Amino acid sequence: GSLEEAVYPLFYGWFLTHKSQSHTNEKGKKFLKTLGELDEFKEHWDDFGEAASETGINLEEYFERKGILHCTTKYSDYGKVKGAQEYTELEAVKKFYSSAFCLQISGFFITPRTAGARVRLTDKQLELWPAGSEKEAMPSEELPHGSRAHITLGCAKDVEPKQTGLDLLEFVKLEKEGQQGLAEKDIDQGKLRYFGKGMWMLELYEKVTVKTVFGGFYP
Ligand code: 2AM
């Protein structure tokens, strides 16, 4: 056999620089704080079940932070996941490995399970987005390539980060069906929409640009 066998990471993705992590965390926290104090939000505390006490719910405590902020492209589980080896061999993956990218955050969202930042990928960045990622998550839907792209900001207790992308696709599906949300409100940071079942999406007026490096994560 070859002396140089491929080494597969746990996952591939764009990793935010230290400074961009702080910046994103700040914006995310501001969103959670503003949302938590809104009367419109208070009307729907019930969506969060037992976590909502009589005085409300502290969203910043509700969502637990998970390691370094990043936008996963391909979960590979050290090469065990279907398509992981093909992904490693993609021209774009080889070409852009260790390259710097600016990602654009177009919104923030929460559900009773996860808190995340929605990422809008450019055409060049989409070259690194694995085919079938959306289909795999939602087999019955035809959702746009790259629409699952996100940065997990936090997860409720006992919820795995993988859930954030699935939650985002739930929003994407509703938007595709033409739903404008059950309630809409302009707040400082952008346009906030409530889609029911604890699903809140903020579309930012001013997109947040973050610096990242593309690569693999090998813990
Ligand atoms: P995330 O991208 O939503 O944050 C390590 O577990 C990383 O890989 C996490 O960032 C996680 O979610 C992502 N991840 C875990 N399992 C996954 C899966 N089956 N599909 C896609 N991403 C996954």
Side-chain angles (χ1 to χ4, degrees):
S2 160
L3 284 176
E4 274 191 60
E5 280 185 39
V7 182
Y8 299 102
L10 178 62
F11 64 92
Y12 289 93
W14 289 283
F15 296 85
L16 276 68
T17 62
H18 185 72
K19 213 169 150 186
S20 285
Q21 289 193 67
S22 313
H23 187 58
T24 306
N25 271 324
E26 255 170 56
K27 299 274 179 189
K29 274 188 179 168
K30 185 173 169 207
F31 166 56
L32 293 185
K33 190 164 186 303
T34 309
L35 179 59
E37 287 169 0
L38 281 183
D39 286 338
E40 286 83 351
F41 181 72
K42 291 176 185 170
E43 286 169 26
H44 301 287
W45 278 344
D46 288 0
D47 295 347
F48 289 78
E50 287 170 14
S53 68
E54 283 190 3
T55 48
I57 169 168
N58 184 333
L59 290 173
E60 281 174 62
E61 284 173 11
Y62 182 80
F63 296 110
E64 292 168 24
R65 172 74 195 273
K66 306 262 175 181
I68 176 174
L69 292 186
H70 65 274
C71 174
T72 305
T73 53
K74 177 73 186 173
Y75 181 68
S76 138
D77 195 10
Y78 308 105
K80 282 183 271 176
V81 166
K82 185 171 155 279
Q85 306 191 9
E86 290 83 341
Y87 184 81
T88 300
E89 282 154 25
L90 283 182
E91 260 335 294
V93 171
K94 290 190 224 163
K95 184 165 116 199
F96 293 129
Y97 200 90
S98 296
S99 297
F101 285 84
C102 282
L103 293 192
Q104 203 184 56
I105 295 175
S106 63
F108 288 110
F109 60 91
I110 67 160
T111 74
R113 299 165 295 279
T114 62
R118 184 177 198 169
V119 174
R120 185 183 296 153
L121 300 174
T122 63
D123 288 343
K124 178 179 161 190
Q125 290 161 359
L126 282 171
E127 287 179 39
L128 289 166
W129 195 254
S133 172
E134 287 75 22
K135 198 80 190 164
E136 172 218 86
M138 274 202 184
S140 61
E141 299 288 326
E142 298 289 338
L143 302 176
H145 187 59
S147 57
R148 184 180 179 177
H150 67 278
I151 298 163
T152 298
L153 299 177
C155 295
K157 206 167 171 295
D158 299 328
V159 172
E160 296 192 46
K162 177 194 173 188
Q163 185 63 43
T164 318
L166 307 182
D167 285 357
L168 174 56
L169 287 180
E170 206 56 58
F171 285 102
V172 174
K173 183 182 151 204
L174 293 172
E175 287 170 357
K176 191 184 156 217
E177 290 166 1
Q179 290 205 37
Q180 299 287 314
L182 307 173
E184 192 182 295
K185 188 182 173 79
D186 290 314
I187 60 172
D188 251 15
Q189 285 176 291
K191 195 173 277 299
L192 179 68
R193 291 197 178 86
Y194 173 61
F195 288 92
K197 295 185 194 159
M199 296 175 68
W200 295 86
M201 172 67 76
L202 175 73
E203 188 188 334
L204 292 168
Y205 293 136
E206 243 176 81
K207 312 299 177 217
V208 177
T209 302
V210 292
K211 283 192 189 161
T212 71
V213 175
F214 176 75
F217 189 67
Y218 306 80

